Amino acid sequence: MISNGTAGTESALGFEQIGPEWLGTKLGGDGNPGLTVSSVRVEPLSGGIFCDVARLHLTYDASSPPGPATVVAKLPRTHEQARAMGVRFGMYERERRFYVEIAPRVPIRTPRCYHEGDGDAGREPLIIEDLAGTRFGDQLGGLSADDALV
């Protein structure tokens, strides 16, 4: 659940509502249970047609084991028409299922998935490894033949 700061409440969307405690449980749930995130800084990134994307810069408590300095969070677009189209075509659920069902079995490097989100419901973000230093693709512009060979 993404907390908006009020106990017992749930928010539909918004990177600013991803709290350190919630994020710590998602990052620490995979063999690093003592992980304690103390702060999250949101850096909006260029998104795709159907997603809003942000890099989350993380700070940990001094007693916490080390964790990733940054992760990438993806949420359904806040633009209502784009979001409705994404839900209609199952885009968010498809991406969620890719990370859960397909990524572990493919022989190519994919970002590590820390939290698969909740698909088309859109109340929780997809949290994946930040592959900083790699180039972010352009869904509208496509890619060149040279890029396809890389």
Side-chain angles (χ1 to χ4, degrees):
M1 175 190 322
I2 299 174
S3 171
N4 65 8
T6 307
T9 62
E10 195 171 327
S11 177
L13 294 174
F15 293 118
E16 68 283 350
Q17 295 164 335
I18 298 174
E21 184 178 337
W22 181 89
L23 195 55
T25 63
K26 301 307 174 193
L27 297 175
D30 189 20
N32 206 358
L35 197 74
T36 306
V37 178
S38 58
S39 68
V40 179
R41 181 174 60 84
V42 177
E43 174 192 351
L45 300 173
S46 300
I49 299 169
F50 297 107
C51 288
D52 289 330
V53 183
R55 176 174 288 121
L56 306 180
H57 297 264
L58 310 175
T59 305
Y60 298 91
D61 284 350
S63 62
S64 177
T70 59
V71 294
V72 171
K74 295 178 74 175
L75 284 167
R77 289 285 309 266
T78 53
H79 183 273
E80 192 58 41
Q81 289 175 322
R83 180 186 170 125
M85 187 70 74
V87 169
R88 181 177 181 167
F89 291 116
M91 302 298 287
Y92 311 116
E93 183 62 19
R94 288 175 192 215
E95 185 170 24
R96 184 192 75 75
R97 291 183 71 182
F98 168 81
Y99 282 104
V100 171
E101 298 173 15
I102 298 172
R105 295 192 269 169
V106 297
I108 61 171
R109 170 83 161 86
T110 60
R112 177 179 176 186
C113 182
Y114 294 104
H115 181 63
E116 68 272 4
D118 58 359
D120 291 337
R123 290 182 307 270
E124 293 189 357
L126 172 71
I127 306 290
I128 58 176
E129 177 183 11
D130 182 7
L131 299 178
T134 59
R135 195 161 43 100
F136 199 68
D138 185 338
Q139 289 181 334
L140 297 176
L143 71 156
S144 70
D146 288 339
D147 284 337
L149 293 173
V150 174

